[in-house]
Amino acid sequence: MSDEFIPDFVEAIPLPAVLVDQSERLIGANGVARAMFGQNIVGRHFATLLRQPQIIEAIEKSLVSKDPTETRYLSNDGAQDTTFIVNCRYVRGVGAVQGGAVVVSFTDVTHLEQANQMRRDFVANVSHELRTPLTALMGFIETLRGPAKDDAGARERFLEIMDGEASRMNRLVGDLLSLNRVESEERVRPKEELDLTAQITSTIHSIRPLAQDAGVRLNLEAPDAPVLVMGDADQLRQVFTNLIENAIKYGGSGGRVDIKLIEMERDVAVRGPSARVQVIDHGPGIDPVHLPRLTERFYRADSHRSRELGGTGLGLAIVKHIVNRHRGRLRVESELGQGTTFTVILPR
Ligand SMILES: Nc1ncnc2c1ncn2[C@@H]1O[C@H](COP(=O)(O)OP(=O)(O)OP(=O)(O)O)[C@@H](O)[C@H]1O
Ligand SMILES: [Mg+2]
């Protein structure tokens, strides 16, 4: 290849790429590479540009041996870290005295690494969540076989606790499956039309016993006429159930939970007409440090209390996915000592 074609050649590579010849200077760089490293990089020595030792070594090795090399490159633009796989491939007959050059291309693998990390974290979290009740169950089985063998009173008590632990595992597995299902359907828009007023009224009806046990009054404010949205009835029921249950479990000390259904003609949140469902409690509130992470899987603001109440920490993650599937928005506002408001905004 004659050197006059070098600009066209590097521009044809769909990744950031530079060409380094035997003089150890850049003899070409495509637009994406210039956007990454600077507009006037052609002509500069590569080591002044790519300062990390492992990449300098890889390019030198490839220039001398003419063999392909591969390494990693970490860049930081001040805001975030990016990880690249760097490939060096030798090209004959270009550059200084036609001695050949090395094409250095950069593949961004940041998302891949993040996804892998998330997968590892997820497996670690699930194992941990399952291990706790499992360890308790195994402990009680051992006690029932040994020391408590002939103690009918203890047996009854232990079976009660074991029942609780097994139910907890069952809930966890149920929530995991539910999360999986919701995630896999996230791109499929719901096709049924449903009436939110009726939906919320019936959800409240089925949660009422729980509220009564906790000494919490449920208070609904909704239009008399139906409020129609495109939605998945089962999934929306799951959303409202979890939000109201949370309000009772974590904000029930306020004695009252308000549920408001509001129709809006023009809602900036969804750029059009919307239905907003607010679940308002008057409990202790959530510390602002927790708010951004609340919808992460297994995240609990007050992990001790949540576990004690049998929570799996998956509820809001499921809520978030369902709301996304409905092209809606989920908002949380909270003030310590005042209470918390969760708002689900659905397009109409
Ligand atoms: N209304 C609320 N007031 C205070 N804290 C809340 C409220 N709603 C949620 N939280 C906090 O957010 C955490 C996450 O809630 P989420 O519904 O995801 O999990 P959970 O209720 O612990 O478990 P699950 O819903 O699966 O039974 C809770 O553990 C709790 O610490
Ligand atoms: Mg919950």
Side-chain angles (χ1 to χ4, degrees), residues 36-56:
M36 210 164 104
F37 297 112
Q39 285 307 319
N40 304 311
I41 52 175
V42 173
R44 279 178 57 183
H45 191 282
F46 75 84
T48 65
L49 208 68
L50 310 160
R51 294 154 193 259
Q52 292 174 15
Q54 71 277 19
I55 176 167
I56 295 177

Side-chain angles (χ1 to χ4, degrees), residues 15-88:
L15 296 169
V18 300
L19 202 59
V20 179
D21 75 357
Q22 297 290 354
S23 71
E24 301 195 338
R25 288 178 189 283
L26 264 64
I27 57 169
N30 61 13
V32 250
R34 291 200 307 274
M36 210 164 104
F37 297 112
Q39 285 307 319
N40 304 311
I41 52 175
V42 173
R44 279 178 57 183
H45 191 282
F46 75 84
T48 65
L49 208 68
L50 310 160
R51 294 154 193 259
Q52 292 174 15
Q54 71 277 19
I55 176 167
I56 295 177
E57 203 175 297
I59 297 174
E60 278 170 349
K61 197 169 155 208
S62 194
L63 275 172
V64 174
S65 69
K66 304 185 172 56
D67 290 331
T69 54
E70 187 184 295
T71 183
R72 298 163 81 75
Y73 175 72
L74 292 174
S75 97
N76 184 302
D77 62 3
Q80 65 180 43
D81 288 323
T82 312
T83 310
F84 293 98
I85 295 287
V86 183
N87 272 291
C88 303

Side-chain angles (χ1 to χ4, degrees), residues 175 241-247 249-250 306 310-316 319:
D175 277 356
T241 303
N242 184 49
L243 293 181
I244 300 169
E245 266 180 20
N246 280 355
K249 278 199 292 188
Y250 308 113
S306 165
T312 63
L314 289 171
L316 287 175
V319 165

